[in-house]
Amino acid sequence: FRLRSKAIVMADNLLNSSREAVRPWLDLVDELRSQGVHQDLPLPQIAVMGDQSSGKSSVLEAVSGIPFPRGAGLVTRCPTQLLMKCTAPGTPWKAHISVSWSR
C-alpha cells in the first residue's frame, strides 16, 4: 500500500512538472490562433489514437487538466476535440459541448 502511494505521488509530481513545461507552448499556440495565424500557417495539434483502454483519455486529461469519465468498458466512444483557450488566472474553466454527425 505504501509503495503504491509513493508511486501515485511520484506520478502526480511528474504530471505537474510536465504540465508546467507544456503550458507556455499551449498558451503561445492559443495566442497565435486568436490572432488568425492559423489561416495562413498550420499550428500544432495533438492527435491521440490507440486501442481500447490504452490510455487515450488519460493523455488528454493530463494535457488539458479536464477530467474525463472513468469506468469499465467503453466510456469515451466518440471522437473528442478539445479547443483550449487561455483565461485570466483564477477563472473557472467552462465547456461547450456539441455533437457533429457526418457520414
Side-chain angles (χ1 to χ4, degrees):
F1 176 74
R2 184 178 177 137
L3 182 60
R4 183 169 186 249
S5 297
K6 187 174 182 178
I8 291 171
V9 169
M10 290 174 59
D12 284 343
N13 290 340
L14 180 62
L15 176 61
N16 288 334
S17 66
S18 65
R19 188 177 292 147
E20 290 171 11
V22 170
R23 185 79 249 168
W25 294 105
L26 295 175
D27 292 343
L28 174 62
V29 170
D30 185 46
E31 178 63 27
L32 293 171
R33 187 172 283 117
S34 72
Q35 299 296 323
V37 171
H38 65 285
Q39 295 174 359
D40 299 315
L41 179 70
L43 295 177
Q45 298 180 9
I46 299 171
V48 181
M49 296 168 268
D51 292 335
Q52 180 180 335
S53 300
S54 62
K56 299 176 296 294
S57 294
S58 296
V59 169
L60 291 174
E61 186 173 317
V63 171
S64 68
I66 299 170
F68 276 73
R70 301 256 185 242
L74 298 173
V75 180
T76 49
R77 297 168 28 150
C78 60
T80 303
Q81 181 180 24
L82 297 174
L83 298 175
M84 298 166 49
K85 298 185 180 193
C86 210
T87 59
T91 304
W93 72 272
K94 61 182 179 178
H96 172 80
I97 300 171
S98 63
V99 177
S100 176
W101 300 96
S102 61
R103 291 185 182 230

